Amino acid sequence: MAAVPTGRLVKDGLYEQFARIGKAVAHPKRIELLDLLCQGERSVEVLADAAAMTVVNTSAHLRVLRESRLVATRKEGTRVFYRLADDAVCEFFFSLRDLAGDRYAEVDRIVRDFFDARDELEPVNRDELLSRAGDGGIIVLDVRPREEYEAGHIPGAVSIPLADLKGRMASLPHRAEVVAYCRGPYCVLAPQALELLRRGGFTARRLEDGFPEWRRAGLPVATGESPSVDPHPPSTPELTGP
Amino acid sequence: MAAVPTGRLVKDGLYEQFARIGKAVAHPKRIELLDLLCQGERSVEVLADAAAMTVVNTSAHLRVLRESRLVATRKEGTRVFYRLADDAVCEFFFSLRDLAGDRYAEVDRIVRDFFDARDELEPVNRDELLSRAGDGGIIVLDVRPREEYEAGHIPGAVSIPLADLKGRMASLPHRAEVVAYCRGPYCVLAPQALELLRRGGFTARRLEDGFPEWRRAGLPVATGESPSVDPHPPSTPELTGP
DNA sequence: CTTCTATTCTATAGATCCATAGAATAACAA
DNA sequence: TTGTTATTCTATGGATCTATAGAATAGAAG
């Protein structure tokens, strides 16, 4: 009881610091920005577009994230690029996301309503994909924007960004089974790709989770350009943020 | 661009759910409550006392935590006991705490100002403690409240709650080297114990982190009563929250 | 130097959050 | 029944957060 002059002050100071992280992730748009930045560095304008916000508003949210030191910036000419301040921030985002997935049936319901409706077949998990990767009858399709593919992808995967898929679908071998992947279990790119592929007559499944989880699991990663089914991309790579 | 009617709605819905977690941990007192609940179930009154808040205010914060489903309650007579809704919540608290420790020099400074001033010697890490546990010349001291000790402690550790330490210090073998531990790297109990022990003429160090981290590392855990240097506790076990 | 573009800054009104006060409830005891 | 204790509910003023509008800055291009 006696002689502990600073105990409460120390505690208050520490929890105050911890709460800075909490305040930073107390707004859905800021979490979305962190999710986007887990994919790599982005300019303000690109982030604003992807998160469906005005540039001014996006800049204000990014300011909050920067002041909480979860993100850092780099200036290049007139543009400012934001990135995660540390890989640990991405890990923290994962643990936040996973806890929400654990605790909230709502998350499960939203995912089911949207994702399962587009899954004709069960999703493929990583182990299954690894064990079948060699047998040739399977095409692994990366439907993220080209620049994310080049920054890192599953070895052997073919890059067809979702925006290009409609036009380039015909170039895929028609008998093949396609496994599409994107940014993670809550990313809408792969489910949308499945819908297009299914309409085009393909047998398509999606990888249960996406590239960030693949890398996190310590599995092999390839970078730069890679085998393409159709070597002449018909349109400029474009960020697809529906 | 076309044919994606619900993409944005899905994203907004998901990030909204993720942000529920963020909002729950956007206030330092709520984080402190989660930290306390990581130690075990507690009544509102005990929590209010430990976090230095009024009962009414504590109840309001607990309500927020309950509505975000991070904690659950159990009623026993006229008292309500709160507990974490899941072990995953404790894991999430750890990752929040560790990220803050990584990112904020302030945390390090606060810890140093308070803790290092009370460390005469370097803290002991888990490996070192394990390798020296058998050699007899070392006493492992659990200075948490008795009830936390009984819920789980390091095998072979002696329980002397901080509040009792002054009175029971004399019963410790005077030549022994003491290693004190408490609730974790930011808990003030062990540093305070070191100060008392040092004044009493003991050679005392503290375990680098506390019991929650010990358990989390998968190391052996003992429960219930255990060897006590002084088998007649001089005062009722009491929650020590300076 | 002027124009253009990307971003940030300032001010503001509306919404939300927070601590406290005072009252209400619920379980138990006398 | 009447207290008594632990907790929650309701109302309120003040603080903080958020989105937007409009202006300012800074770099690149003409």
Side-chain angles (χ1 to χ4, degrees):
Chain A
M1 301 292 116
V4 194
T6 59
R8 176 44 57 187
L9 286 175
V10 167
K11 285 186 187 175
D12 286 349
L14 283 173
Y15 291 119
E16 189 74 44
Q17 294 301 318
F18 299 167
R20 291 173 68 185
I21 309 271
K23 287 181 209 288
V25 292
H27 193 289
K29 289 295 184 185
R30 285 199 291 271
I31 298 180
E32 180 164 9
L33 291 172
L34 286 181
D35 190 3
L36 288 162
L37 292 173
C38 278
Q39 317 295 327
E41 198 180 56
R42 296 278 185 283
S43 72
V44 178
E45 191 179 20
V46 166
L47 289 168
D49 190 52
M53 280 192 292
T54 65
V55 168
V56 171
N57 198 8
T58 304
S59 175
H61 279 301
L62 288 168
R63 184 181 196 271
V64 175
L65 290 175
R66 187 161 42 81
E67 281 172 356
S68 65
R69 287 186 239 163
L70 298 186
V71 307
T73 59
R74 174 177 69 84
K75 201 164 185 179
E76 189 178 303
T78 157
R79 257 178 299 192
V80 177
F81 288 88
Y82 282 78
R83 65 178 184 280
L84 295 188
D86 193 297
D87 283 348
V89 178
C90 188
E91 286 298 314
F92 175 72
F93 164 71
F94 281 146
S95 71
L96 173 68
R97 185 193 69 180
D98 293 346
L99 181 61
D102 272 8
R103 300 298 315 147
Y104 302 144
E106 291 88 332
V107 170
D108 206 48
R109 186 183 51 71
I110 293 172
V111 169
R112 281 183 195 288
D113 283 358
F114 184 79
F115 289 51
D116 291 7
R118 284 156 180 83
D119 283 336
E120 234 183 354
L121 306 161
E122 283 290 297
V124 182
N125 64 37
R126 285 197 295 269
D127 293 337
E128 189 180 347
L129 181 63
L130 280 168
S131 70
R132 294 192 48 197
D135 72 7
I138 200 170
I139 289 186
V140 182
L141 195 62
D142 185 320
V143 296
R144 297 175 300 158
R146 168 80 55 172
E147 91 186 359
E148 290 177 32
Y149 174 85
E150 286 175 1
H153 56 263
I154 296 178
V158 174
S159 169
I160 305 185
L162 181 64
D164 300 341
L165 185 58
K166 208 162 190 171
R168 295 175 59 191
M169 210 183 332
S171 66
L172 291 170
H174 215 276
R175 285 279 167 200
E177 178 177 342
V178 178
V179 174
Y181 73 88
C182 53
R183 294 163 176 160
Y186 303 122
C187 175
V188 297
L189 296 176
Q192 287 171 17
L194 291 200
E195 197 160 25
L196 287 176
L197 289 165
R198 199 178 44 176
R199 284 203 214 130
F202 288 89
T203 301
R205 303 164 72 187
R206 81 184 154 84
L207 183 62
E208 200 169 42
D209 37 32
F211 179 72
E213 289 80 9
W214 179 277
R215 178 168 49 195
R216 186 196 197 188
L219 295 168
V221 167
T223 56
E225 299 199 6
S226 259
S228 173
V229 185
D230 176 1
H232 42 85
S235 79
T236 47
E238 186 179 353
L239 252 213
T240 83
Chain B
M1 310 293 114
V4 194
T6 58
R8 176 43 57 186
L9 287 175
V10 167
K11 285 186 187 176
D12 286 348
L14 283 173
Y15 291 119
E16 188 74 45
Q17 294 301 319
F18 299 167
R20 291 173 68 185
I21 309 272
K23 287 182 209 287
V25 292
H27 194 288
K29 289 296 184 185
R30 285 199 291 270
I31 299 181
E32 181 164 8
L33 291 172
L34 286 181
D35 190 2
L36 288 162
L37 292 173
C38 278
Q39 317 295 328
E41 198 180 56
R42 295 278 185 284
S43 72
V44 178
E45 190 178 21
V46 167
L47 290 167
D49 190 52
M53 281 193 290
T54 65
V55 167
V56 171
N57 199 10
T58 304
S59 174
H61 280 300
L62 288 168
R63 183 180 196 270
V64 174
L65 290 175
R66 187 161 40 84
E67 281 171 356
S68 65
R69 287 186 239 163
L70 298 186
V71 307
T73 59
R74 175 177 69 84
K75 200 164 184 178
E76 189 179 303
T78 156
R79 259 180 296 192
V80 177
F81 289 88
Y82 281 77
R83 64 178 185 279
L84 296 188
D86 192 295
D87 282 348
V89 177
C90 188
E91 286 298 315
F92 175 72
F93 164 71
F94 281 147
S95 70
L96 173 69
R97 185 192 69 178
D98 293 347
L99 181 62
D102 272 8
R103 300 298 314 148
Y104 302 144
E106 291 89 333
V107 171
D108 206 47
R109 186 184 49 71
I110 293 171
V111 169
R112 281 183 194 288
D113 283 359
F114 185 79
F115 290 50
D116 290 8
R118 286 157 178 82
D119 283 336
E120 233 182 354
L121 306 161
E122 283 291 297
V124 181
N125 64 37
R126 284 197 295 268
D127 292 336
E128 190 181 346
L129 182 61
L130 280 168
S131 71
R132 294 191 49 197
D135 73 6
I138 200 170
I139 289 188
V140 182
L141 194 62
D142 186 320
V143 296
R144 298 176 299 158
R146 168 81 53 170
E147 91 186 358
E148 290 177 31
Y149 174 84
E150 286 176 0
H153 57 263
I154 295 178
V158 173
S159 169
I160 304 186
L162 181 63
D164 300 341
L165 185 59
K166 209 163 189 170
R168 296 176 57 191
M169 211 182 334
S171 65
L172 292 170
H174 215 275
R175 286 275 167 202
E177 177 178 343
V178 178
V179 174
Y181 73 88
C182 53
R183 295 163 176 161
Y186 303 122
C187 175
V188 297
L189 296 176
Q192 288 171 16
L194 291 201
E195 198 161 24
L196 288 177
L197 288 165
R198 201 177 43 177
R199 284 202 214 131
F202 288 89
T203 301
R205 303 163 73 187
R206 80 184 154 85
L207 183 62
E208 199 168 42
D209 37 33
F211 179 72
E213 290 79 9
W214 178 277
R215 178 168 49 195
R216 186 196 197 189
L219 295 168
V221 167
T223 57
E225 300 199 6
S226 260
S228 172
V229 183
D230 178 359
H232 41 87
S235 78
T236 45
E238 185 179 354
L239 251 212
T240 83

